[in-house]
Amino acid sequence: MAGTSDPQMAVPANPVAVIGSQLCVPYPSDLNIVKKVMTLKDGAFQVVDANGNALFKVKGQVFSLRERRVLVDGSGNPLVTFQQKLLSAHNRWQAFRGESTNAKDLLFSVKKSALLQLKTKLDVYLAANTKEEVCDFKIEGSWLDKSCAIYAANSTKIAQMHKKLTAESMLLGKDNFGVSVSENIDHAFIVALIVILDEINEND
């Protein structure tokens, strides 16, 4: 799983453990996220490391009042549940610990930086940041080009996503994303942000 060499990536001063410290890896990593485009089943998103080992899967409820997704680890244990907040002008999504959707278990929320955007710009707020005057993380890029970066509040880039074109993706109706993650970053947090990013852009 090691091997990331993005020269623009920086090592954060402290580990970024939003969902769990056990999900941080002490070296740069490459993840592969496969999205099955033509499916309504659980597991539309699957995440593997550079060696093909299953790390995460996203389970979803398709026909529900609000879209809800659950990120599970390779053994099927729920890590975080995220859902769209109803009546939210900025298309806000909220993420909760485990399978909870209680306010006390809120981990973070994601919303558009502005209602109208030519390029993707999302603000990420941790649960403790109730005033939301300054975001804790931000996502910027071009969803049309399937390329985006995730930054910490100090503008340190902690992850970079790009679309990978493979024969499998073209023939089998799958989107294949490569994600380079800096060291000591919560992998589940990065995957959750990318899935939420995908949901927001699909809704648009």
Side-chain angles (χ1 to χ4, degrees):
M1 193 162 55
T4 296
S5 58
D6 187 333
Q8 295 182 328
M9 300 274 276
V11 179
N14 299 300
V16 176
V18 176
I19 297 173
S21 58
Q22 76 279 12
L23 300 165
C24 297
V25 176
Y27 46 79
S29 309
D30 291 320
L31 306 179
N32 194 40
I33 302 179
V34 178
K35 177 189 177 185
K36 298 178 183 177
V37 180
M38 302 298 291
T39 182
L40 294 177
K41 296 180 180 179
D42 280 353
F45 287 90
Q46 295 179 327
V47 185
V48 299
D49 63 18
N51 298 317
N53 299 310
L55 299 177
F56 308 105
K57 184 170 72 170
V58 177
K59 302 168 66 177
Q61 294 179 339
V62 180
F63 302 108
S64 58
L65 181 61
R66 64 175 79 182
E67 296 180 71
R68 181 180 297 174
R69 305 286 182 266
V70 180
L71 179 68
V72 302
D73 63 17
S75 300
N77 301 307
L79 299 172
V80 60
T81 295
F82 37 98
Q83 65 183 16
Q84 186 175 10
K85 186 176 182 180
L86 296 177
L87 305 176
S88 172
H90 285 256
N91 206 344
R92 179 186 289 261
W93 282 69
Q94 295 176 306
F96 304 84
R97 186 173 303 283
E99 291 185 285
S100 173
T101 54
N102 293 325
K104 65 181 180 64
D105 294 315
L106 180 68
L107 292 172
F108 63 91
S109 61
V110 182
K111 73 178 185 67
K112 287 183 175 181
S113 301
L115 283 175
L116 298 176
Q117 299 183 342
L118 294 177
K119 287 195 172 184
T120 300
K121 288 189 178 182
L122 303 179
D123 295 332
V124 183
Y125 300 94
L126 298 179
N129 185 358
T130 54
K131 292 185 178 180
E132 297 190 355
E133 293 175 349
V134 178
C135 63
D136 297 288
F137 302 90
K138 57 185 177 180
I139 306 171
E140 295 182 356
S142 170
W143 190 249
L144 184 64
D145 298 328
K146 295 295 191 291
S147 175
C148 75
I150 300 173
Y151 299 90
N154 61 0
S155 297
T156 299
K157 185 194 290 188
I158 58 173
Q160 173 74 48
M161 182 201 82
H162 59 276
K163 186 169 184 178
K164 299 169 69 175
L165 291 176
T166 66
E168 181 185 43
S169 65
M170 298 176 68
L171 292 173
L172 302 181
K174 295 181 178 180
D175 277 343
N176 204 319
F177 306 99
V179 185
S180 300
V181 186
S182 186
E183 61 190 75
N184 292 323
I185 304 296
D186 186 330
H187 283 185
F189 176 56
I190 297 299
V191 172
L193 290 181
I194 290 174
V195 174
I196 291 172
L197 168 68
D198 179 74
E199 294 287 353
I200 289 176
N201 281 279
E202 288 290 335
N203 289 343
D204 287 347

